[in-house]
Amino acid sequence: RAATPEILKRRFSEYGQLTDVKIATTKDGVSRRFAFLGYASEDSATRARKGVHNTYIMTNKVQVDFAREIGSKEIPRGWSKYTEGTSAFQKRVQKDAAKVETTKKGKAGKVDKADAKTAREEKQRLKEVLKRKKEEAALEAGLDDMAFLKAKVSTDADGEDDGDQGHAAEEEAHEGRVLLQNVPFASSEGDVKALAENHGPVVEVHLPTDEDTSQSRGVVFV
C-alpha cells in the first residue's frame, strides 16, 4: 500500500520507456494494491513481465500480467472487494446495504419520537383551550365566586388523572383563596394585592415563579 508511482517507475523503467503509471485507489484515496503501467512498446512490456513477475517490491511479492479489456474472459478471477463479481464484492454490497437500512430505521425512530412529542403537546394545548372556554363561559353566565371555583375544579378534573387536585382546589375555595390566571408576567405581588383589595381584605398573595428563570408563571394565588 505504501508504493508510490515514483517507486514503480524506478523499478520498471529499466525494461523500457514508460508512458504512464497509475495506481488504482478507492474513493477515499486508499491504494487498492494494483497498478497499470504503460510502455512505449510491447517488447518492453514483455521484458518487464518476465523480469518482475513474482519478485518483491519493498516487502510485497508482486505479480505482473498484461492488461486486458474490461469483460474479457481471459481476465483472472478477481479477489478484491472493490471488483464487481467477486464474493468479497458481494459481501461488501450486502454490508453497505445493511448499514443504510440501519440508518433509515434510526431516522424513522427519531421521527416517530418527534411525532409522539408533537401529539402530546397538541393534546395539552387543546386541554388548555377547552379549560379557558369553560372558564369564560362561567364568567359570562354570571356565576358567583364559589360556583366559578367549583366549575374550575370540574374543568381541572377533566384534564387530570389525579383526583386529589380537584379536592385541594375545593378546599382552597372554602378557605377564601382564589387563583388568578393569565396574569401579565410583569405584574408584582403588590400590583395584584392592590387590585384584589378592591373586593375585600387580602391576607396573602403568592406569585409562583420559574425556578430557572425566576420569571412569573402567569398565575397568582390570593
Side-chain angles (χ1 to χ4, degrees), residues 6-192:
E6 289 71 22
I7 292 175
L8 295 181
K9 287 180 181 178
R10 288 197 299 269
R11 183 69 176 86
F12 284 88
S13 61
E14 60 182 283
Y15 299 100
Q17 181 183 354
L18 287 169
T19 58
D20 59 277
V21 176
K22 181 180 180 181
I23 297 178
T25 61
T26 66
K27 294 180 180 180
D28 300 326
V30 179
S31 172
R32 293 176 59 184
R33 304 185 70 179
F34 70 89
F36 295 96
L37 291 87
Y39 279 97
S41 67
E42 184 177 347
D43 183 60
S44 297
T46 301
R47 289 199 306 270
R49 183 179 185 277
K50 184 177 180 180
V52 184
H53 184 62
N54 285 333
T55 63
Y56 287 84
I57 295 179
M58 302 176 72
T59 58
N60 295 95
K61 187 176 183 179
V62 296
Q63 295 180 333
V64 182
D65 201 353
F66 296 112
R68 296 176 176 82
E69 293 183 2
I70 297 176
S72 173
K73 295 181 179 180
E74 296 180 1
I75 297 177
R77 184 177 183 275
W79 53 267
S80 172
K81 66 179 180 180
Y82 300 103
T83 303
E84 187 174 355
T86 65
S87 58
F89 177 83
Q90 294 299 329
K91 290 181 180 179
R92 184 176 72 87
V93 170
Q94 294 174 359
K95 185 177 181 180
D96 291 345
K99 287 183 179 179
V100 172
E101 187 65 24
T102 301
T103 301
K104 288 182 178 180
K105 289 182 179 180
K107 290 182 178 179
K110 291 181 180 178
V111 172
D112 291 342
K113 290 181 180 179
D115 290 344
K117 181 180 180 181
T118 301
R120 290 195 300 270
E121 292 175 349
E122 181 64 16
K123 184 177 180 180
Q124 182 62 32
R125 188 185 69 81
L126 291 175
K127 286 182 180 180
E128 294 295 333
V129 171
L130 180 60
K131 182 190 297 185
R132 286 197 297 271
K133 286 185 177 181
K134 287 186 177 181
E135 292 175 356
E136 291 172 359
L139 291 174
E140 291 177 359
L143 299 178
D144 56 25
D145 291 343
M146 182 61 70
F148 174 75
L149 286 173
K150 288 183 178 180
K152 185 181 183 313
V153 169
S154 176
T155 300
D156 291 341
D158 289 339
E160 299 292 341
D161 294 333
D162 188 357
D164 293 339
Q165 181 176 358
H167 180 67
E170 188 172 1
E171 287 184 351
E172 290 180 353
H174 286 293
E175 293 173 359
R177 180 180 297 180
V178 296
L179 170 66
L180 304 181
Q181 293 181 309
N182 299 324
V183 177
F185 293 129
S187 300
S188 65
E189 291 184 353
D191 296 332
V192 177

